[in-house]
Amino acid sequence: MSQSRDSGQTAAPAAAGDTTRERILTAAMEEFARHGIAGARVDRIAKLARTSKERVYAYFRGKDALYADVSAREHVVIAEATQLDPSDLPGYAGRLFDYFVARPDHHRLITWGRLEQPDTTATADDHAQALIARKIDQLRKAQQAGQLDPAWDPADVLALVNQIATTWASQPELSEAAAAHAVDPTTTARRAAVVTAVEQLFPRSR
């Protein structure tokens, strides 16, 4: 694969009802989640999407551009599925926990990007950064409204809640150990621990 293909942005805009492009994105999500960015193969993506490598490159200039599109879409889906409520951060943490328990491959997809593209510079139109900025703004407004302790920096609040909520998704080896050795080995118990931990730090607004 040529260098120019890997470093560009999306080559062709999405068209309404463009099922080929959607199949490519769906196949790419599965491929990236399983193999990471470096390990992913465009020929496998094309085969799974029932199209050709040439067609993939007609839409995306390379794996980096394709991963960026898949990752951006996933961040939007997560935000819509979990819905940050600044007055109920324990509930938000529970929804994040549920999302990744049901979709561990989606967590792997995002983690691969953090591992393999750690020095990627965020741009103004970066979907993930825009979503993060919006959540931080929501938290800041909740502090101003007296719903959240203003002693915390809202950026720290978001980072801590996200980290607690994804504790088990990011440490599958501990999930296996908990299933074998915890007093209560159920997923329900792990979720309760996450929600309780966030409640201790950031109680629900009364």
Side-chain angles (χ1 to χ4, degrees), residues 113 116-123 126:
E116 297 190 57
Q117 297 180 328
D119 300 321
T120 300
T121 301
T123 59
D126 185 316

Side-chain angles (χ1 to χ4, degrees), residues 25-101:
L25 288 167
T26 299
M29 171 172 260
E30 180 176 329
E31 179 73 6
F32 286 129
R34 182 174 299 173
H35 300 288
I37 302 170
R41 295 291 178 264
V42 174
D43 56 346
R44 288 198 297 253
I45 293 171
K47 182 177 181 180
L48 187 59
R50 305 190 309 278
T51 189
S52 65
K53 286 177 64 175
E54 291 72 23
R55 193 63 176 160
V56 174
Y57 286 124
Y59 290 104
F60 305 95
R61 296 187 186 279
K63 287 194 297 182
D64 285 351
L66 181 51
Y67 177 83
D69 203 318
V70 170
S71 179
R73 286 159 62 99
E74 177 60 15
H75 277 96
V76 171
V77 169
I78 293 170
E80 291 178 349
T82 58
Q83 290 295 318
L84 173 66
D85 179 355
S87 67
D88 182 13
L89 291 176
Y92 169 66
R95 288 189 291 277
L96 272 178
F97 177 91
D98 292 340
Y99 186 88
F100 287 121
V101 164

Side-chain angles (χ1 to χ4, degrees), residues 5-198:
R5 279 182 168 176
D6 274 335
S7 58
Q9 298 301 312
T10 302
D18 194 338
T19 56
T20 301
R21 188 176 191 278
E22 289 302 314
R23 290 201 310 272
I24 291 170
L25 288 167
T26 299
M29 171 172 260
E30 180 176 329
E31 179 73 6
F32 286 129
R34 182 174 299 173
H35 300 288
I37 302 170
R41 295 291 178 264
V42 174
D43 56 346
R44 288 198 297 253
I45 293 171
K47 182 177 181 180
L48 187 59
R50 305 190 309 278
T51 189
S52 65
K53 286 177 64 175
E54 291 72 23
R55 193 63 176 160
V56 174
Y57 286 124
Y59 290 104
F60 305 95
R61 296 187 186 279
K63 287 194 297 182
D64 285 351
L66 181 51
Y67 177 83
D69 203 318
V70 170
S71 179
R73 286 159 62 99
E74 177 60 15
H75 277 96
V76 171
V77 169
I78 293 170
E80 291 178 349
T82 58
Q83 290 295 318
L84 173 66
D85 179 355
S87 67
D88 182 13
L89 291 176
Y92 169 66
R95 288 189 291 277
L96 272 178
F97 177 91
D98 292 340
Y99 186 88
F100 287 121
V101 164
R103 305 167 185 82
D105 53 326
H106 292 216
H107 188 270
R108 289 196 303 273
L109 173 82
I110 293 170
T111 301
W112 279 117
R114 292 170 178 162
L115 290 172
E116 297 190 57
Q117 297 180 328
D119 300 321
T120 300
T121 301
T123 59
D125 60 349
D126 185 316
H127 288 76
Q129 289 299 313
L131 289 167
I132 291 169
R134 188 182 312 158
K135 290 180 179 181
I136 290 174
D137 187 55
Q138 286 179 268
L139 293 167
R140 183 175 290 110
K141 289 178 178 177
Q143 290 175 322
Q144 294 167 352
Q147 297 175 324
L148 185 64
D149 185 352
W152 292 89
D153 189 304
D156 292 327
V157 174
L158 184 61
L160 288 168
V161 173
N162 284 350
Q163 190 65 38
I164 293 170
T166 58
T167 293
W168 297 101
S170 63
Q171 301 181 91
E173 71 282 2
L174 285 184
S175 294
E176 292 183 14
H181 305 294
V183 174
D184 184 343
T186 65
T187 300
T188 300
R190 306 287 78 73
R191 186 187 195 279
V194 163
V195 172
T196 299
V198 175

